Amino acid sequence: MELTFREAVRRALIEEMDRDERVFIMGEDVGAYGGSYAVTKGLLERFGPERVRDTPISEAAILGAGTGAAMGGLRPVVEIMTINFLLPAADQLINGAAKFHYMFNGQFSVPLVVRTVNGGRRLAATHSQDLEVLFAFIPGLKVAAPASPADAHGMLKAAIRDPDPVLFVEHALLYSVKGEVPDDPDHLVPLGRSTVRRPGRDVTLVAYSRAVALALEAANVLADRGVEAEVIDLRSLRPLDAGPVLESVRKTHRAVVVEEDWKTYGVGAELSARIAEEAFDALAGPILRVAGSEVPMPYAANLEQLALPQVEQVVDAVASLMGRRGDVVWQAR
């Protein structure tokens, strides 16, 4: 069936709450209001206030209560309005949820899912950041960042059934994207598995979350110019499945990482290191990165556009890698 990304996430929540009575939702405005992005709309009426709980505006309290509930045997799905608001709760997530299984010699598990939103437009410097890489740095946390409705559905269900804490990152601009979702309540998409979104022979484009759409659009432009790009969707940042990336690079000999976060110390930096460590001899040129500008996100629309990676930049990077920059004719977009 065809669903939007938002509907796919809601469907996954409903299916898992129907399947397992231990699953419950809590967060700011998730009940009567239906969530800031309307993902939990209607769930309060369906499951009642015991399983869909509005909370006070305290992210640290929400994460602490969620961690305690998970250690007590429940399966909480916590919604944090945006990934920017995880900063006040970082200690609960990083020094609490991510570590308890290790610090107590495996006696406790923390099956906690933290749903949150990255990206966005016209939200300025403190509300539209892509901070997922901060959390992907932390052992003990799993970080998922799906790019399609089918993956959002299958990966969220896998996250809810996972024994470890999972940060589930939903890009704000993906909520209205439509796509086919399997009509099977037991269909899961495993965490930590990259996938090939488009096969190609000339260059490897690696992306995650909404940047996958950017990479696919660039691949279409490149195809019109006779360059076949292979697009790899990471889907999870931790665990990071670099296998399909390395396999692709050994075939194409060229790699460009496309990401909305900042280039310095970003996901592309980690991927570049992995490729250099494990597939250096296959490379025909440097690994390039197309990422956000190294500035806090501006509010003005024209400046915001300049700060975000664009299709033309991806095509430009590929053209320079292939020594064909002079052959590329830019089209107005």
Side-chain angles (χ1 to χ4, degrees):
M1 72 183 73
E2 186 177 67
L3 297 176
T4 65
F5 192 98
R6 176 186 290 106
E7 291 167 341
V9 173
R10 184 187 301 126
R11 180 182 169 84
L13 291 170
I14 290 172
E15 289 175 351
E16 291 306 296
M17 293 177 78
D18 282 341
R19 183 189 63 84
D20 186 345
E21 64 180 11
R22 297 173 301 168
V23 179
F24 73 100
I25 298 169
M26 65 177 179
E28 298 162 6
D29 291 331
V30 297
Y33 190 67
S36 296
Y37 291 88
V39 171
T40 55
K41 188 174 183 180
L43 299 192
L44 175 63
E45 292 78 8
R46 179 166 180 150
F47 293 103
E50 287 293 315
R51 299 184 69 193
V52 182
R53 290 174 174 254
D54 279 320
T55 64
I57 303 175
S58 173
E59 285 77 15
I62 297 168
L63 260 295
T67 300
M71 293 175 70
L74 299 178
R75 293 274 174 168
V77 180
V78 164
E79 179 176 309
I80 299 296
M81 204 172 286
T82 86
I83 199 167
N84 309 279
F85 298 167
L86 268 178
L87 297 178
D91 186 63
Q92 294 288 347
L93 191 58
I94 294 172
N95 279 329
K99 293 185 171 64
F100 287 148
H101 180 76
Y102 299 90
M103 293 178 68
F104 290 95
N105 196 29
Q107 296 179 83
F108 294 101
S109 294
V110 186
L112 168 70
V113 175
V114 181
R115 288 186 46 248
T116 193
V117 179
N118 69 338
R121 295 295 181 268
R122 306 304 309 283
L123 297 172
T126 61
H127 285 62
S128 59
Q129 302 176 97
D130 295 273
L131 299 177
E132 53 276 3
V133 69
L134 299 180
F135 301 96
F137 180 65
I138 306 300
L141 273 182
K142 294 177 179 174
V143 179
S148 70
D151 279 355
H153 174 259
M155 291 175 68
L156 180 55
K157 290 166 67 69
I160 292 171
R161 300 184 192 190
D162 199 277
D164 300 316
V166 179
L167 179 63
F168 197 83
V169 183
E170 303 161 14
H171 196 288
L173 298 193
L174 290 178
Y175 279 128
S176 298
V177 171
K178 293 182 178 180
E180 287 295 320
V181 175
D183 188 15
D184 177 1
D186 289 320
H187 176 76
L188 305 179
V189 177
L191 304 177
R193 300 277 183 84
S194 302
T195 190
V196 178
R197 289 293 176 203
R198 174 190 173 117
R201 64 173 186 273
D202 298 320
V203 64
T204 301
L205 304 181
V206 189
Y208 70 96
S209 190
R210 189 174 178 275
V212 173
L214 194 69
L216 288 170
E217 190 175 349
N220 288 336
V221 174
L222 289 163
D224 290 341
R225 291 157 170 78
V227 176
E228 292 298 330
E230 184 151 281
V231 177
I232 309 292
D233 179 358
L234 294 176
R235 302 203 286 196
S236 293
L237 302 183
R238 182 182 278 269
L240 179 63
D241 177 19
V245 177
L246 299 171
E247 183 178 346
S248 179
V249 170
R250 290 185 181 113
K251 177 176 63 176
T252 67
H253 310 295
R254 302 171 183 88
V256 177
V257 183
V258 185
E259 54 191 327
E260 278 201 2
D261 64 336
W262 296 301
K263 180 188 292 186
T264 304
Y265 302 106
V267 172
E270 173 63 25
L271 274 172
S272 298
R274 296 277 186 107
I275 295 170
E277 287 172 348
E278 301 185 42
F280 182 80
D281 290 341
L283 289 170
I287 305 157
L288 299 184
R289 293 172 284 164
V290 177
S293 298
E294 305 272 343
V295 295
M297 188 63 71
Y299 177 73
N302 59 332
L303 297 179
E304 182 185 63
Q305 194 71 359
L306 288 171
L308 291 166
Q310 305 295 325
V311 170
E312 290 83 356
Q313 293 172 280
V314 181
V315 177
D316 196 6
V318 172
S320 68
L321 264 185
M322 303 194 70
R324 298 176 58 179
R325 188 173 185 127
D327 297 335
V328 174
V329 178
W330 298 118
Q331 297 176 347
R333 287 181 175 275

